[in-house]
Amino acid sequence: MSGVIVLRCEERASERRTPITPQGAAQLQQQGVTVLVESSPVRVFADDEYRAAGVAVVPAGSWATASRDAVVVGIKELPDEPEPLRHRHVYFAHAFKGQRDAAHTLRRFVDGGGELFDLEYLVDDDGRRVVAFGYWAGFVGGSLAALQLAGTLRAPLQPMTLDGLTTALEQAAQKLVGATCVVTGAFGRAGRGATDALILADVGVSRWDRDDTAELDSNALVAHDALVHCVHADQPQRPFLTEADRDRPGRRLRVLADVTADVTSDLNLLPVSDRHTSWPEPVRRIWTDPVPLDAIVIDNLPSLLPLQASADFSRALVPLLPSLFTDGPVWSRARRRFELAVEGLG
């Protein structure tokens, strides 16, 4: 096995996750894959931890001038330059559902002759995702919903340890007696994480699956204090929360945590919310009356628990990466998904 992977430095200052840990990079090199790690001041693992694992550290931005056959691996969005993209890139591009800037992102690959392997579309033979940050996204989303309900969420958000977040949830429980929350997509990775966090805060959880949302009981939904949304929509369906629900009799709903954060897509199931929130400003008020409704829509929730999220993700991704150089089935399916998106550009 041979090949070169460049672990890209993330552009976003709040993005502390990595898809490849020092241990994972060392494992890849043992299999004959050369790993070059771009220096990063924010990555949860320091540059010296990669060096200690026998991995070369290179300047940030080196991917742009790497050999054309190198594979560039990251988490979130690419920088604006270089405009044409000539490499194979592995990251969460959010460009296959008509999201804002999706067409521009895809055209960058077309113009440069590169390829996009979107991490969200690495699936097995049955179409199930094989790598995901879902559990920790849900856990953090559920945690922030509980803390906001309790009035103890403070901005700006900062990276947390799991022990610290657990303690905050247990303390918030004292202020959440009788509080309830709907978790949609409750039996997926994110839904399980959200449920675990809410239970730590002693919030009563209604776990809704596909059958519950297919025959949506809007009165029952808004009778809860919070909604944690964990459904990734791949096709149009009835929205879960619309402007018509603002004045619905019996509405107690006052916190919405959108773990999917897919608000710029036509498939957004929560059209009352159309923009992301951020670490500096994690909460945005959507409705002011008759009951205030606050939204938390952060698109990199797992980065608030960067150590746990990165370790779990790397354990799933690293064993798959060598087969990228031999066009393994997971990667050939991801390539086809990219090709279909490009064909849709017209």
Side-chain angles (χ1 to χ4, degrees):
M1 179 63 61
S2 63
V4 176
I5 287 175
V6 181
L7 178 58
R8 176 167 55 82
C9 173
E10 298 296 326
E11 286 289 294
R12 197 184 300 196
S14 66
E15 187 50 76
R16 303 192 67 227
R17 291 173 293 174
T18 179
I20 304 174
T21 63
Q23 180 182 11
Q27 291 171 357
L28 286 167
Q29 297 213 135
Q30 289 168 5
Q31 296 180 65
V33 178
T34 299
V35 181
L36 305 175
V37 177
E38 291 190 350
S39 180
S40 169
V42 298
R43 188 184 291 126
V44 66
F45 296 100
D47 293 350
D48 284 346
E49 294 180 77
Y50 287 94
R51 292 190 182 100
V55 181
V57 176
V58 298
S62 295
W63 67 267
T65 56
S67 61
R68 190 182 183 98
D69 60 353
V71 174
V72 184
V73 181
I75 296 288
K76 299 299 284 187
E77 63 271 10
L78 290 163
D80 293 335
E81 297 294 336
E83 176 78 10
L85 298 170
R86 62 191 184 94
H87 294 96
R88 288 173 288 178
H89 283 263
V90 180
Y91 73 111
F92 288 104
H94 303 296
F96 294 165
K97 297 182 186 177
Q99 294 98 327
R100 190 178 302 142
D101 294 331
H104 174 69
T105 297
L106 293 171
R107 290 195 185 281
R108 293 179 68 185
F109 284 96
V110 172
D111 292 345
E115 291 182 312
L116 166 60
F117 297 88
D118 194 304
L119 288 164
E120 187 176 344
Y121 294 87
L122 302 186
V123 298
D124 63 15
D125 293 341
D126 297 320
R128 292 188 296 262
R129 291 179 64 182
V130 292
V131 292
F133 284 106
Y135 178 85
W136 293 112
F139 190 93
V140 175
S143 297
L144 297 184
L147 297 177
Q148 179 66 11
L149 275 179
T152 58
L153 183 63
R154 300 289 178 261
L157 297 178
Q158 299 292 338
M160 312 169 191
T161 65
L162 182 56
D163 286 346
L165 183 52
T166 298
T167 297
L169 291 171
E170 292 171 344
Q171 292 173 346
Q174 302 171 26
K175 301 181 179 181
L176 292 171
V177 176
T180 62
C181 178
V182 172
V183 177
T184 58
F187 297 96
R189 290 185 182 95
R192 292 195 301 269
T195 298
D196 287 348
L198 291 161
I199 288 172
L200 285 172
D202 204 22
V203 174
V205 181
S206 296
R207 303 181 72 185
W208 288 12
D209 61 14
R210 184 172 299 179
D211 291 339
D212 297 304
T213 53
E215 299 182 9
L216 188 71
D217 185 341
S218 296
N219 289 329
L221 189 154
V222 302
H224 292 76
D225 297 289
L227 164 63
V228 180
H229 175 60
C230 300
V231 175
H232 283 273
D234 292 318
Q235 56 189 358
Q237 57 183 293
R238 177 187 172 187
F240 295 170
L241 192 68
T242 69
E243 187 64 29
D245 295 310
R246 178 203 291 257
D247 297 314
R248 191 173 290 277
R251 179 169 73 85
R252 292 171 48 188
L253 188 69
R254 53 195 174 95
V255 173
L256 162 63
D258 185 357
V259 174
T260 66
D262 206 9
V263 292
T264 68
S265 167
D266 291 339
L267 301 179
N268 179 16
L269 296 179
L270 303 170
V272 297
S273 174
D274 62 357
R275 72 190 77 165
H276 293 111
T277 59
S278 64
W279 289 28
E281 297 180 2
V283 180
R284 183 173 75 88
R285 179 144 296 181
I286 295 178
W287 295 334
T288 57
D289 55 62
V291 177
L293 176 64
D294 294 328
I296 301 167
V297 194
I298 296 170
D299 68 349
N300 66 335
L301 286 169
S303 198
L304 287 160
L305 287 176
L307 183 60
Q308 287 81 11
S310 297
D312 283 356
F313 195 84
S314 180
R315 276 193 291 268
L317 178 64
V318 163
L320 298 173
L321 284 170
S323 67
L324 176 53
F325 298 98
T326 58
D327 201 30
V330 167
W331 302 102
S332 62
R333 282 189 285 268
R335 174 184 288 111
R336 182 54 183 157
R337 189 63 185 82
F338 165 67
E339 291 170 347
L340 289 171
V342 168
E343 290 172 9
L345 290 175

